[in-house]
Amino acid sequence: MSSKFADRIARVQPSAIRELLRYGDDPSITSFGGGYPDAALFPAAELQQIYTEILSKESATALQYTASAGLPGLRGQIAERMSSAGSATDADDVLILQGAQQGLDLVAKLLINPGDVIVTENPTFLGALIAFNPCQPEYAAVDMDSEGMDVDALEATLATTENIKFIYVIPDFQNPTGVSLSLERRKRVIELANEYDVLVLEDSPYRELRFEGQQLPTLTSLDTEHRVIHLGSFSKILAPGLRLGWVSAAPEILDKLGLLKLAADTQSSTLNMTAVTRFLATYDIDAHVSAMRGVYRAKRDLMVSTMIEHFPAEVTVTRPEGGLFTWVTFPEGFDATAFMAEHALPEARVAYVPGGSFFPTEQRSNYARFSYSGQSDDEMVDALTRLGAILNEHI
């Protein structure tokens, strides 16, 4: 039967990390693996009221098909929020998606032929690699430091690599590292994209979850030649179960992405789009997000301080200014995947995401991603203390 599959399916493989994390279903295991928002922050009561009103008064339209691009009202609200953040945007510049993840898939389908090159940060978002891989790209991975992607290395890559289609970057609180791209480097990315005639895919699901430091402009707002394709999401600021995100891009790009979306799923949920439209019109989403920031700041502080106190001194962690993740660096030669399977899970009853799979070209074993968003304070401290004790025995 396998001989009947398309060549692209060879790039769609089960993740060894997923196999390890199946143990996270065990209630005795504390998982820092998934990038799940804190469910206590979902506006459940408000959404319950909204859905009740919609289904009692507007069911004929809210349960019906609608335009593939998405409800005009929601597209306008998104455009207004983007414009207020410095990216002049109209409703016609926005396409509603099944979460930003769908945007990764559609952009790859639109732009990538087998063998074309995608430039990524190193490491980069594993979900993006999963979305890109069926299109059979090659990757050029550019290392990062505390200010994000190394733009000198980016320039060298652009100068020496053929068939580059786009640069994929998560500028705000990058997944997995939590690092943000500095202002000067944001400007330089745009300059280099212009100089070498490549597109930029800006993935920005965490942008509004900044809880300290200065908010930086989007790459879209710095774009001078309409090269940036911008992805946004309601998953982190409302609820991931809504499965609503968006893409904004130049008209010729957005039109073709719309055709690909029509082929993929016809449209996003009319009911959920109606609910989010109503939420944005009725409630103060900025106040809601502000409250989330305070919770995540406290969780970040607790995780980082607990790791510093209990992990071996040779282990370092990032202190992100927002988002949901910290990135842990173990000594050279440490295998985070093997350690989790052999010690963290069975002995400490703790799961995390080993970092190797986040590297698109050459996996590096001595890293791990931890999410601080999904556990209670007491559980977080207890689990990290247990893990620290085991780490001290093996490092």
Side-chain angles (χ1 to χ4, degrees), residues 309-345:
E309 180 179 356
H310 293 284
F311 284 15
E314 298 89 339
V315 177
T316 62
V317 302
T318 59
R319 189 177 186 276
E321 294 183 330
L324 304 180
F325 307 107
T326 187
W327 184 242
V328 177
T329 302
F330 300 102
E332 289 288 339
F334 185 89
D335 188 330
T337 300
F339 181 83
M340 189 168 97
E342 296 168 8
H343 301 289
L345 280 167

Side-chain angles (χ1 to χ4, degrees), residues 246-262:
W246 66 90
V247 58
S248 178
E252 62 269 26
I253 295 174
L254 201 68
D255 288 347
K256 290 179 173 58
L257 290 174
L259 294 173
L260 289 169
K261 178 176 172 62
L262 180 65

Side-chain angles (χ1 to χ4, degrees), residues 31-363:
S31 177
F32 299 108
Y36 290 14
D38 186 343
L41 299 175
F42 297 158
E46 293 87 344
L47 288 173
Q48 180 180 25
Q49 181 176 349
I50 286 171
Y51 277 108
T52 299
E53 292 178 355
I54 290 171
L55 291 172
S56 64
K57 300 177 182 179
E58 302 174 41
S59 60
T61 55
L63 296 177
Q64 187 56 277
Y65 288 116
T66 190
S68 181
L71 293 179
L74 180 58
R75 293 161 62 204
Q77 290 168 317
I78 292 169
E80 183 177 349
R81 290 185 65 80
M82 290 186 65
S83 296
S84 67
S87 305
T89 308
D90 295 323
D92 289 341
D93 300 324
V94 175
L95 171 68
I96 304 299
L97 302 170
Q98 303 275 13
Q101 182 71 22
Q102 185 181 45
L104 299 171
D105 173 70
L106 297 182
V107 169
K109 288 178 178 176
L110 176 64
L111 298 176
I112 298 299
N113 293 313
D116 285 341
V117 177
I118 301 172
V119 178
T120 73
E121 297 154 318
N122 199 39
T124 191
F125 174 41
L126 178 57
L129 299 178
I130 292 170
F132 298 156
N133 279 343
C135 294
Q136 300 169 274
E138 301 295 331
Y139 294 104
V142 178
D143 283 344
M144 304 173 65
D145 59 24
S146 61
E147 295 185 47
M149 180 182 280
D150 180 339
V151 290
D152 291 333
L154 173 62
E155 181 174 13
T157 297
L158 294 172
T160 58
T161 308
E162 296 182 352
N163 299 324
I164 293 175
K165 285 297 185 71
F166 62 85
I167 303 164
Y168 172 65
V169 60
I170 307 172
D172 299 295
F173 325 120
Q174 194 244 17
N175 182 355
T177 66
V179 170
S180 293
L181 190 65
S182 69
L183 177 58
E184 290 306 311
R185 293 192 185 184
R186 290 173 193 238
K187 295 176 180 177
R188 186 60 180 149
V189 167
I190 297 300
E191 291 172 355
L192 290 170
N194 292 343
E195 181 179 349
Y196 288 93
D197 191 24
V198 297
L199 297 171
V200 177
L201 178 55
E202 177 182 31
D203 193 4
S204 192
Y206 311 104
R207 176 176 173 77
E208 296 198 55
L209 298 182
R210 174 176 286 279
F211 38 73
E212 66 180 44
Q214 182 179 1
Q215 187 70 285
L216 298 173
T218 62
L219 295 177
T220 302
S221 69
L222 301 172
D223 185 11
T224 57
E225 297 184 4
H226 305 291
R227 295 185 179 276
V228 177
I229 303 169
H230 177 91
L231 298 177
S233 175
F234 288 108
S235 292
K236 304 304 186 290
I237 61 173
L238 283 179
L242 294 167
R243 300 314 307 138
L244 287 177
W246 66 90
V247 58
S248 178
E252 62 269 26
I253 295 174
L254 201 68
D255 288 347
K256 290 179 173 58
L257 290 174
L259 294 173
L260 289 169
K261 178 176 172 62
L262 180 65
D265 64 11
T266 305
Q267 62 162 91
S268 297
S269 163
T270 310
L271 177 60
N272 289 348
M273 287 191 288
T274 303
V276 172
T277 300
R278 184 70 56 81
F279 185 95
L280 295 175
T282 305
Y283 297 100
D284 186 347
I285 190 171
D286 292 322
H288 171 69
V289 172
S290 180
M292 297 176 73
R293 292 182 188 126
V295 171
Y296 289 139
R297 180 193 299 113
K299 287 179 175 292
R300 184 277 317 270
D301 288 345
L302 185 61
M303 174 169 277
V304 171
S305 64
T306 304
M307 285 177 165
I308 290 172
E309 180 179 356
H310 293 284
F311 284 15
E314 298 89 339
V315 177
T316 62
V317 302
T318 59
R319 189 177 186 276
E321 294 183 330
L324 304 180
F325 307 107
T326 187
W327 184 242
V328 177
T329 302
F330 300 102
E332 289 288 339
F334 185 89
D335 188 330
T337 300
F339 181 83
M340 189 168 97
E342 296 168 8
H343 301 289
L345 280 167
E347 298 173 27
R349 313 302 289 169
V350 171
Y352 51 80
V353 183
S357 292
F358 293 98
F359 293 90
T361 56
E362 183 179 355
Q363 293 195 355

